[in-house]
Amino acid sequence: MSKNASDNLPTHTDIENWLISYVSQLLEIEPIKIDTQVSFNEYGLDSSAAIVLTGDLQEFIGSELDPTLLFDYPTIDALANYIVKIE
């Protein structure tokens, strides 16, 4: 994983790639078929999957996240943008 040189945090690309990999494994589809502009809801992630994803994402970035984050930022791109801004 590449990090921002100044603060050693994951970049937008790191977070986006992690989310693409996570969703593709969860849904058993090829990562190339994941569109970062399509909502998690359209991919069929229910609330329990969203909470588990948020917990795993917390571990990846090393920061606490609100469990309802996927409802406020419903696409991979929107979520990665938000996380980079709060880090």
Side-chain angles (χ1 to χ4, degrees):
M1 167 173 59
S2 63
K3 304 273 185 168
N4 293 326
S6 62
D7 52 14
N8 213 23
L9 297 171
T11 66
H12 178 277
T13 301
D14 294 331
I15 296 166
E16 191 172 83
N17 287 339
W18 186 91
L19 287 166
I20 289 169
S21 176
Y22 190 97
V23 172
S24 73
Q25 289 178 19
L26 182 68
L27 302 176
E28 298 180 352
I29 59 177
E30 294 293 321
I32 192 87
K33 294 183 179 178
I34 302 292
D35 184 339
T36 61
Q37 300 296 318
V38 172
S39 72
F40 295 109
N41 188 42
E42 288 180 68
Y43 280 119
L45 270 70
D46 61 16
S47 58
S48 62
I51 290 170
V52 173
L53 187 157
T54 303
D56 291 342
L57 183 57
Q58 284 182 148
E59 290 182 25
F60 174 70
I61 66 170
S63 295
E64 189 170 323
L65 297 171
D66 187 319
T68 63
L69 201 59
L70 271 68
F71 299 104
D72 296 330
Y73 302 94
T75 68
I76 289 173
D77 186 56
L79 184 56
N81 281 331
Y82 171 75
I83 292 170
V84 168
K85 288 178 184 173
I86 63 169
E87 291 295 320

